Amino acid sequence: MTEAAAQTEEIDRRTVKRAVLASAMGNATEWYDYGVFTSGAIAASIGTVFFPGGSGTAVLKSLALVAIGFLVRPFGGAFFGPLGDKIGRQRVLALTILLMSGCTFLVGCLPTYSAIGFAAPVLVVLLRLIQGFSTGGEYGGAATFIAEYAPTRRRGFWGSFLEFGTLTGYVLGNAVVLTVTLSFSAAEVESWAWRIPFFIALPLGLIGLYLRSKLEDTPEFKRLEAAGEKAEKAPLRETLVQNWRMILNLVGIVLLLNIADYMLLTTMPTYFTDTLKINDNTATVIIIGVEVVQMALIAPLGALSDRIGRKPMLLTAAIGFLVLSYPSIKLMQSGSIALLVVGFGLVALLLLLMLAVIGSTFPAMFPTRVRYGSFAIGYNVSTSVFGGTCGLVVTALIHATGNEDWPAFYLMIAAAIALVPILLIPETARVPISKIDVQATPARGVATAR
């Protein structure tokens, strides 16, 4: 290799790294918000300070706030996704990260119910709706950004860092909450210290905005633009009419992904404290520990998918959830902290098999012209209906029936449904992103190239 060629390759590698970091920062910002909102101490404080009534349903009220944001995510996906296919990925992603972090920050600035009455819950709900709308355009664009920058044979490796951002944001959110609860009394947390974690979201978003503003749009989008194939209008109709089958496949897979994801990351913290009666700080330490292990393993698993394909890992995860969810929840209910960690870790490992490959799998299900929009719409419809409501539904079912096994039942149902679309989607592990041709791809397990 000549010196000039080696220099060009090194520059490209640095650009890919910067693109991955800029994309992952948005996911980290999004999940930092969920980490803060669903941690035991802050969830109880939010439900108490913004709503009337006793503290007995405070956690449920806080989870309802999380769920409310998901109601508008499909609308955000339908707006930002096709817009990203029209004007470019980079511009839209700069806007979404600013809106997400700004809304989280502003929650920390709001006056409480005791100060302004019913205006307090109205304002916090409004901010959650704006945050959910902007989040609807974030994930699909960030995944598309990485996939369109990454080399074909390393797309699984680089794509895994999108979910590394998820785990980083969630761990950071829980770590900040843990620091706050250890540093202040319960009365101080409920009085004013609950605001501190929300304030930290703004600098996170500004860092992500800076990183994204320093990057050009993806090579794949610029190629489409140069060839005159870019849509003149946001192609919502084209996205839905020509890609509805693959969008439905995406919805089915994301159903399991997000029920598992939100079950572990947003439902289990309150399940441990509210149902299993584990101390807030103990539960937080367990969750952080398991997620740090996930962070260490996700990139190697992403690289493994570049060699063996994405579908084997997705199938292993779905079958694992179907078979092992119930034994895992029984281990968590055993009364032993050690067995709880084993049960929680087992489900977390199954989730990791999915997290490691979705950043490379989902964007490759759609052609470049409508990739951002198709991904954003399918992903957010499924996330809104099944993921964002997971904590609220499972917690309500446990309270209504007295049966503490609902987390396992919910996972098993989702896994059974997801097996069908996983079998139907094509394997795209070694197919160049520019050659994806979904329209010509029958459901027989291998992608075709144009």
Side-chain angles (χ1 to χ4, degrees):
M1 181 182 294
T2 66
E3 182 178 350
Q7 184 178 10
T8 299
E9 183 179 347
E10 181 60 30
I11 291 172
D12 289 343
R13 188 179 296 116
R14 288 202 301 268
T15 302
V16 170
K17 289 180 180 178
R18 283 164 42 214
V20 169
L21 178 60
S23 299
M25 274 299 298
N27 229 29
T29 302
E30 175 188 349
W31 279 88
Y32 173 84
D33 174 85
Y34 298 141
V36 170
F37 249 98
T38 59
S39 62
I42 300 300
S45 295
I46 292 296
T48 301
V49 301
F50 284 116
F51 294 92
S55 60
T57 58
V59 170
L60 206 57
K61 292 171 185 174
S62 185
L63 290 176
L65 278 178
V66 174
I68 282 171
F70 284 85
L71 295 177
V72 294
R73 279 187 66 150
F75 301 101
F79 175 77
F80 287 114
L83 185 64
D85 287 324
K86 177 180 181 286
I87 69 173
R89 289 72 162 107
Q90 189 265 354
R91 293 180 185 177
V92 172
L93 287 172
L95 178 59
T96 57
I97 194 170
L98 190 59
L99 286 172
M100 286 192 309
S101 59
C103 287
T104 303
F105 170 78
L106 288 174
V107 168
C109 301
L110 289 178
T112 64
Y113 180 82
S114 63
I116 61 171
F118 279 101
V122 170
L123 288 172
V124 75
V125 167
L126 179 62
L127 285 175
R128 294 306 297 170
L129 290 173
I130 297 172
Q131 208 264 1
F133 187 80
S134 58
T135 302
E138 169 63 30
Y139 188 81
T144 295
F145 205 75
I146 291 178
E148 291 183 352
Y149 259 109
T152 298
R153 294 187 176 277
R154 299 275 282 169
R155 198 161 64 229
F157 172 75
W158 290 117
S160 69
F161 282 94
L162 185 65
E163 290 301 325
F164 184 89
T166 292
L167 296 169
T168 301
Y170 199 77
V171 166
L172 180 61
N174 275 275
V176 170
V177 169
L178 181 62
T179 302
V180 168
T181 56
L182 291 176
S183 302
F184 301 98
S185 68
E188 288 173 323
V189 170
E190 186 165 321
S191 174
W192 60 270
W194 63 267
R195 299 178 185 274
I196 295 173
F198 291 96
F199 292 154
I200 294 174
L202 187 59
L204 287 179
L206 292 176
I207 292 169
L209 178 63
Y210 173 79
L211 292 171
R212 290 179 177 185
S213 67
K214 295 299 181 181
L215 284 167
E216 295 182 355
D217 222 313
T218 68
E220 185 61 14
F221 181 81
K222 290 195 293 184
R223 179 197 65 78
L224 199 73
E225 196 171 34
E229 299 175 6
K230 179 176 70 70
E232 292 302 319
K233 298 180 179 179
L236 179 60
R237 185 176 183 277
E238 176 185 345
T239 297
L240 295 174
V241 171
Q242 297 185 12
N243 297 274
W244 64 270
R245 290 183 180 84
M246 195 58 75
I247 289 174
L248 285 180
N249 285 335
L250 177 63
V251 168
I253 300 171
V254 173
L255 181 149
L256 172 59
L257 166 71
N258 273 330
I259 284 179
D261 210 355
Y262 290 91
M263 184 79 73
L264 265 73
L265 299 184
T266 67
T267 306
M268 281 303 169
T270 52
Y271 181 78
F272 288 168
T273 57
D274 196 31
T275 303
L276 301 186
K277 307 303 180 185
I278 295 174
N279 175 270
D280 279 342
N281 292 338
T282 301
T284 301
V285 168
I286 291 170
I287 291 166
I288 289 175
V290 170
E291 288 167 2
V292 167
V293 174
Q294 286 183 307
M295 291 168 65
L297 296 176
I298 193 167
L301 287 173
L304 177 64
S305 78
D306 286 323
R307 295 194 294 272
I308 69 172
R310 328 293 188 209
K311 291 183 66 171
M313 297 179 68
L314 290 172
L315 284 169
T316 300
I319 294 169
F321 278 121
L322 193 60
V323 174
L324 298 176
S325 292
Y326 187 75
S328 295
I329 206 70
K330 285 303 179 185
L331 287 173
M332 295 183 214
Q333 296 169 354
S334 66
S336 163
I337 294 295
L339 291 179
L340 182 148
V341 171
V342 171
F344 185 69
L346 185 60
V347 180
L349 179 59
L350 294 173
L351 172 62
L352 189 62
L353 293 177
M354 300 190 77
L355 294 179
V357 301
I358 59 174
S360 52
T361 302
F362 293 164
M365 291 170 66
F366 305 99
T368 303
R369 180 180 170 87
V370 293
R371 177 169 295 128
Y372 192 161
S374 299
F375 186 162
I377 291 169
Y379 184 88
N380 285 294
V381 166
S382 190
T383 301
S384 175
V385 176
F386 304 109
T389 59
C390 179
L392 186 63
V393 171
V394 170
T395 303
L397 285 170
I398 291 171
H399 287 175
T401 65
N403 190 332
E404 298 179 358
D405 297 334
W406 270 106
F409 299 153
Y410 216 53
L411 280 170
M412 292 166 69
I413 293 168
I417 294 171
L419 276 171
V420 176
I422 290 173
L423 290 169
L424 290 176
I425 63 170
E427 177 60 73
T428 57
R430 284 167 289 279
V431 179
I433 200 77
S434 61
K435 302 296 183 181
I436 299 296
D437 186 5
V438 177
Q439 309 307 323
T441 306
R444 17 174 225 213
V446 179
T448 58
R450 286 185 281 126

